[in-house]
Amino acid sequence: MGEEKREATLRYLRSKFAQYYQTRPLHLPPRFGRREFGFILFEGGFVLRHLGFPKEATLYRYIRSKSPAHVYHSAAYYETPGAPTMAEKGWMGADLIFDLDADHIPGWQKMGYPGMLEAVKGQVIRLIDDFLVGDLGFREDDLRIAFSGARGYHIHIRDPRVFTLESHERREIVDYITGTGLDLQLVGRREPFEERTFGGQTRTLKRFRIPMASDPGWRGRTTRGISQWLETLSELPEEQAIEALRQLEGVGPKRAQKIYGTLQRLGTDGTRARVETGHLEFFPPGSGASLVAQGVEYAKGATDEPVSSDTKRLIRLMGSLHGKTGFSVVPLTREELDAFDPLTDAVPALYEHEKIRVETPQAIVTDMMGETFNLEPGQNSVPEYLAIFLMCRGMATLASGMAGDATEGPT
Amino acid sequence: MLAMYPFLAEASRYIRDQGLSLEEVLDHRAFQGARNWARERVFTSLETGDLPNPPLSRSAECLEALYAYPLARILVSCVGDGFLVRRFALAEADLARRRLSRESDDFLLAASHALGLDALRDGAFRLHFSDFLRATRQLRGKEWKLINQPVREGFVLLSRDRFLRVVEGHLRNRFEAELPLEVNPTLLRAFEEEVIELHTALRDRRSRLQGEDLGTIRVTNFPPCMEKLLATVLASENVSHPGRFALVSFMNNIGLGFDEIYQIFASVPDFRESVTRYQIEHITGQISGTVYTAPECSTMKSYGICPGPDRLCETITHPLSYYRKKTRMSGTAKKAPADRPAKAAS
């Protein structure tokens, strides 16, 4: 890529970003004046940080003058957010942040961008409904959800009770969500249920029991996981179901066949009724532990550990633009999340539908605003919103002869 | 009642209402008993940690007990030693738990509210998980991990016994955070003798601990994580950056010097002399003067470099404790030879 073209491309993006920030799109965090801010510019790779802004107007002035590619604020709030070192800032507390990115989804590399966005959204919904609002009891009012502008979502928790949690304690919450450190004895074990005396000898009969589905915490969660997994299994064709069962540790072809047979005999409702009341003994002996392990696996949530446990981390400002996509970091309610489609809803209204010419060194297939684009290598005329996305991704440059200034409008 | 729980806000309010300054109390013959009691409390917390719990029946006894508490805190503050603060906090919290364990559920709940805990009771005790996490900060067994608690709608369900342990943990944190208090020269003078005695006791204790050298390095005493990391390095396979950091800091903490550690890393395939030298120098404190301590178990787990605990691991929360414990158990510890340079995590 020629230096000149690169320059023209960056100039275009900078000017478009500046235009965007004219519309006062930012959603500032509470205790705004106590936060540290950080920026990455289009031309420089490192973060400009340790900046504090007493007033909204000063922040806007700064952003409009620099037109940064990325804008962040601290999850923490400080006595002196602008102090040059962490020690001098005086940490007072921090929001609890969760970050879920596509790379936490198994097999994400093969999904394609729209597929991975959809899969991440499913995980985020589960993180919120099952864990944050479910077990941990946060109110939806204390939760701010945001599309990250790229491949994932952020959740900011602003319940004062969590502000002073330290790193170790935040990691405990992550462990709770990801199923780390679970004591397996709590969620399934062999228990005595009958004593039999035969020929003067007493034998204690044991059977494998699991908690009730309604039990609090991971006990009930594991049982529900087992039940739900078995339900998805019973909806599969026999061959696939048996194959899935054989993936379990200690389950060979014979045992898999037996478990499948039991599922068929009891039916979906019959299985559910038994499993959810703590019974697993109708499955072949020895398969209890592996079913429990599968239940745990199925019930696990995902979230990025370092983001939550680092109490001094910077997080993207809601309403700002992501310099690697051009998308905006869209704040969402839990209800809005359901129908949210980043490839349409995170494209700022300011980006034009009119076409501009870009150069794409490689062939590109991508979806945006409900359309699929198929670009050959070379020069292409594409809607401005797509051009911005591709230029931000580094997959396209402004074609020569294009004005490097967005304010003049595309030609 | 207040005399039993002198840390409650009501107790300090009572003392304040008496209108006596601490200097006056220390001077006053009538408070000699309280003063002796305070002294006893501090020494016992340093030595055994098992504070006596005599019944308080006469009102004079109650008054003494009530004043003994702030006096003991001042004495601890006069010494101003972190280790003493922790011992004192531990012993005081333990005493409070023993006393609370004899109270009714209602009283226990009211006391927890007075201490600022977000607790409820319906059958079992329920505590908001954020308070639970803070209060159990220093309890690292798996039975205290949040994931192993019955959590419902933000609250952790706890039996009475476990609730008492959590309240104890909360008090311990609070006492540690509050101390040392600021002291003035008058108070320092009043406790002059005790302060000297305590300094001596602390010094004795320290030299006893330091005399217990970890002996020659024994790989057989390494925790599983470090053993695995070392084996990987020795097999000339690559180790992740956090893995290297953990291993280098660990080996440095148990007494290996720069040269010895450097030799080991020289066999790594992506060995680049300047980088490796810099990394080791950095971690062992030769560059900035900061000596890094090996990461604790929970961090090792997060980095994914904990290969899973063995039985001894269940009793510790830090790889270094594993090494010390195993070294002591296997009798390979010995007195430090005079020519060995001072070292180990301090």
Side-chain angles (χ1 to χ4, degrees):
Chain A
M1 192 193 297
E3 197 51 36
E4 220 170 277
K5 280 184 194 161
R6 207 180 93 89
E7 264 310 306
T9 304
L10 289 185
R11 211 158 46 235
Y12 190 96
L13 291 175
R14 255 197 317 267
S15 131
K16 200 74 202 181
F17 274 38
Q19 235 179 305
Y20 171 82
Y21 288 116
Q22 291 296 334
T23 63
R24 303 185 69 81
L26 300 176
H27 295 253
L28 300 178
R31 297 178 192 74
F32 157 77
R34 292 241 177 256
R35 310 273 182 169
E36 177 198 357
F37 280 77
F39 307 89
I40 296 179
L41 305 181
F42 276 107
E43 44 274 81
F46 63 95
V47 191
L48 300 167
R49 59 185 298 182
H50 308 304
L51 296 160
F53 295 92
K55 280 188 300 208
E56 198 176 327
T58 19
L59 174 68
Y60 268 111
R61 209 173 307 134
Y62 185 91
I63 291 182
R64 283 173 191 151
S65 71
K66 302 258 180 201
S67 192
H70 306 274
V71 184
Y72 308 92
H73 68 79
S74 60
Y77 40 97
Y78 301 99
E79 302 271 359
T80 320
T85 66
M86 284 300 163
E88 289 168 83
K89 284 192 195 325
W91 190 85
M92 297 168 79
D95 300 341
L96 175 61
I97 308 279
F98 294 95
D99 172 20
L100 192 49
D101 209 69
D103 56 16
H104 282 88
I105 311 290
W108 63 277
Q109 293 98 330
K110 291 182 223 126
M111 289 178 177
Y113 194 41
M116 89 175 59
L117 286 172
E118 204 46 40
V120 171
K121 199 171 90 174
Q123 281 285 353
V124 171
I125 288 176
R126 181 157 159 181
L127 172 61
I128 295 169
D129 293 359
D130 283 12
F131 291 98
L132 301 180
V133 174
D135 284 2
L136 298 180
F138 291 115
R139 295 177 316 146
E140 273 181 42
D141 292 355
D142 293 324
L143 232 81
R144 291 288 177 282
I145 309 163
F147 172 60
S148 75
R151 303 188 304 194
Y153 292 83
H154 300 155
I155 302 162
H156 302 233
I157 293 187
R158 290 164 180 167
D159 177 338
R161 290 179 290 193
V162 302
F163 286 170
T164 58
L165 289 178
E166 289 173 12
S167 194
H168 168 78
E169 292 124 48
R170 289 170 195 246
R171 199 178 289 146
E172 279 289 301
I173 299 174
V174 173
D175 283 352
Y176 188 92
I177 292 164
T178 56
T180 309
L182 178 64
D183 180 0
L184 289 173
Q185 282 294 305
L186 284 176
V187 292
R189 59 171 170 210
R190 282 161 59 75
E191 281 174 5
F193 77 101
E194 206 183 306
E195 293 204 334
R196 278 200 194 148
T197 310
F198 189 76
Q201 282 199 320
T202 306
R203 263 191 350 144
T204 307
L205 297 183
K206 289 183 170 179
R207 63 182 172 192
F208 198 87
R209 291 302 302 269
I210 55 172
M212 302 284 280
S214 57
D215 278 4
W218 265 88
R219 281 172 54 83
R221 176 177 301 284
T222 305
T223 295
R224 295 192 299 274
I226 300 172
S227 175
Q228 285 156 13
W229 184 71
L230 289 173
E231 195 164 334
T232 60
L233 205 66
S234 63
E235 286 157 10
L236 293 176
E238 176 166 357
E239 213 172 293
Q240 282 179 40
I242 292 201
E243 187 47 41
L245 282 164
R246 286 195 54 189
Q247 302 296 313
L248 301 184
E249 207 181 303
V251 178
K254 255 195 191 155
R255 209 174 258 173
Q257 193 67 53
K258 264 194 180 164
I259 298 178
Y260 185 75
T262 312
L263 284 177
Q264 291 298 306
R265 186 162 47 80
L266 297 173
T268 309
D269 291 342
T271 308
R272 191 195 299 126
R274 284 175 175 78
V275 171
E276 297 196 347
T277 49
H279 294 275
L280 219 49
E281 66 272 16
F282 54 90
F283 285 114
S287 48
S290 40
L291 285 171
V292 165
Q294 182 59 34
V296 171
E297 202 54 41
Y298 198 79
K300 267 182 191 178
T303 190
D304 189 44
E305 191 273 321
V307 174
S308 298
S309 60
D310 184 350
T311 56
K312 290 164 187 154
R313 193 173 270 257
L314 296 177
I315 187 97
R316 255 173 223 288
L317 177 60
M318 288 185 208
S320 67
L321 294 178
H322 191 303
K324 286 261 162 73
T325 58
F327 289 151
S328 73
V329 179
V330 185
L332 299 161
T333 63
R334 169 64 191 83
E335 213 178 288
E336 288 165 337
L337 179 61
D338 283 326
F340 181 74
D341 172 17
L343 295 176
T344 302
D345 303 329
V347 179
L350 179 83
Y351 297 177
E352 311 267 354
H353 286 248
E354 274 170 70
K355 295 192 169 174
I356 65 169
R357 292 188 69 73
V358 290
E359 246 179 77
T360 53
Q362 276 158 3
I364 294 165
V365 182
T366 188
D367 290 6
M368 197 172 287
M369 300 294 273
E371 257 190 87
T372 302
F373 296 90
N374 234 314
L375 309 184
E376 297 290 324
Q379 290 219 351
N380 286 289
S381 269
V382 298
E384 190 198 30
Y385 58 77
L386 179 63
I388 291 174
F389 174 75
L390 296 176
M391 291 192 288
C392 283
R393 307 275 321 120
M395 295 158 82
T397 48
L398 211 57
S400 44
M402 288 296 305
D405 183 358
T407 51
E408 290 173 18
T411 32
Chain B
M1 196 56 101
L2 287 182
M4 299 276 266
Y5 307 105
F7 47 83
L8 292 175
E10 245 177 293
S12 43
R13 207 173 308 127
Y14 176 84
I15 289 182
R16 213 167 34 245
D17 289 349
Q18 300 303 301
L20 284 168
S21 76
L22 285 164
E23 288 83 351
E24 283 172 309
V25 171
L26 282 169
D27 244 8
H28 213 291
R29 192 173 290 242
F31 288 100
Q32 193 57 44
R35 187 187 163 139
N36 287 340
W37 200 342
R39 182 182 182 285
E40 203 51 44
R41 263 172 118 117
V42 178
F43 275 90
T44 311
S45 62
L46 181 60
E47 282 150 16
T48 63
D50 195 8
L51 299 183
N53 182 15
L56 303 171
S57 41
R58 291 185 302 118
S59 68
E61 283 171 348
C62 287
L63 206 60
E64 272 184 10
L66 200 53
Y67 275 95
Y69 175 73
L71 291 181
R73 282 157 58 98
I74 286 168
L75 176 50
V76 169
S77 304
C78 286
V79 179
D81 178 272
F83 180 73
L84 181 64
V85 166
R86 287 194 296 279
R87 292 289 298 182
F88 179 74
L90 184 67
E92 283 288 339
D94 173 71
L95 176 64
R97 178 185 48 78
R98 281 184 281 142
R99 285 178 169 168
L100 283 169
S101 70
R102 296 207 212 114
E103 307 285 355
S104 69
D105 283 359
D106 285 337
F107 183 92
L108 181 52
L109 189 68
S112 71
H113 289 161
L115 293 170
L117 292 172
D118 188 358
L120 307 163
R121 187 166 61 87
D122 48 15
F125 285 88
R126 305 207 297 151
L127 180 66
H128 191 259
F129 81 91
S130 60
D131 282 338
F132 174 87
L133 286 175
R134 278 183 284 261
T136 56
R137 194 172 279 171
Q138 309 201 47
L139 303 171
R140 295 287 172 86
K142 71 177 170 193
E143 74 274 22
W144 293 105
K145 270 191 84 65
L146 184 64
I147 190 172
N148 294 320
Q149 310 308 314
V151 184
R152 178 168 276 162
E153 286 162 17
F155 285 81
V156 178
L157 274 70
L158 294 158
S159 67
R160 185 184 152 90
D161 262 7
R162 285 174 66 81
F163 186 65
L164 280 161
R165 290 288 302 277
V166 174
V167 173
E168 177 187 1
H170 173 75
L171 281 170
R172 183 177 165 193
N173 292 341
R174 197 185 104 176
F175 296 152
E176 278 185 16
E178 284 170 350
L179 298 175
L181 309 160
E182 275 200 46
V183 287
N184 60 41
T186 319
L187 294 171
L188 271 172
R189 217 170 306 120
F191 275 125
E192 203 176 358
E193 253 174 65
E194 287 91 340
V195 170
I196 293 172
E197 259 182 276
L198 282 164
H199 271 305
T200 313
L202 283 163
R203 208 176 308 122
D204 282 354
R205 211 187 156 88
R206 275 204 192 100
S207 59
R208 253 200 329 271
L209 282 179
Q210 274 168 6
E212 181 193 24
D213 183 56
L214 291 168
T216 43
I217 307 303
R218 302 221 168 207
V219 178
T220 45
N221 294 348
F222 273 32
C225 49
M226 297 301 169
E227 198 184 331
K228 189 164 173 227
L229 286 169
L230 182 62
T232 315
V233 170
L234 291 178
S236 297
E237 284 165 30
N238 271 321
V239 172
S240 69
H241 185 73
R244 281 176 192 225
F245 173 82
L247 183 61
V248 172
S249 52
F250 176 82
M251 292 196 296
N252 185 236
N253 295 156
I254 63 171
L256 288 177
F258 170 82
D259 291 329
E260 292 155 297
I261 299 174
Y262 183 77
Q263 281 306 315
I264 293 172
F265 272 87
S267 67
V268 178
D270 68 343
F271 175 75
R272 273 180 299 159
E273 201 198 307
S274 59
V275 178
T276 306
R277 175 173 292 275
Y278 177 80
Q279 281 179 347
I280 300 175
E281 280 175 348
H282 182 68
I283 297 168
T284 57
Q286 305 200 353
I287 291 174
S288 64
T290 311
V291 181
Y292 287 86
T293 306
E296 60 175 7
C297 294
S298 58
T299 313
M300 298 284 290
K301 281 178 191 147
S302 297
Y303 285 151
I305 46 180
C306 165
D310 69 7
R311 277 180 64 187
L312 187 56
C313 288
E314 303 279 349
T315 68
I316 52 98
T317 59
H318 199 290
L320 281 170
S321 326
Y322 184 106
Y323 186 77
R324 285 204 196 97
K325 243 183 172 166
K326 195 150 179 192
T327 304
R328 242 174 259 149
M329 278 160 41
S330 64
T332 41
K334 57 178 183 190
K335 285 280 170 192
D339 60 346
R340 243 189 131 79
K343 60 194 160 201
S346 49

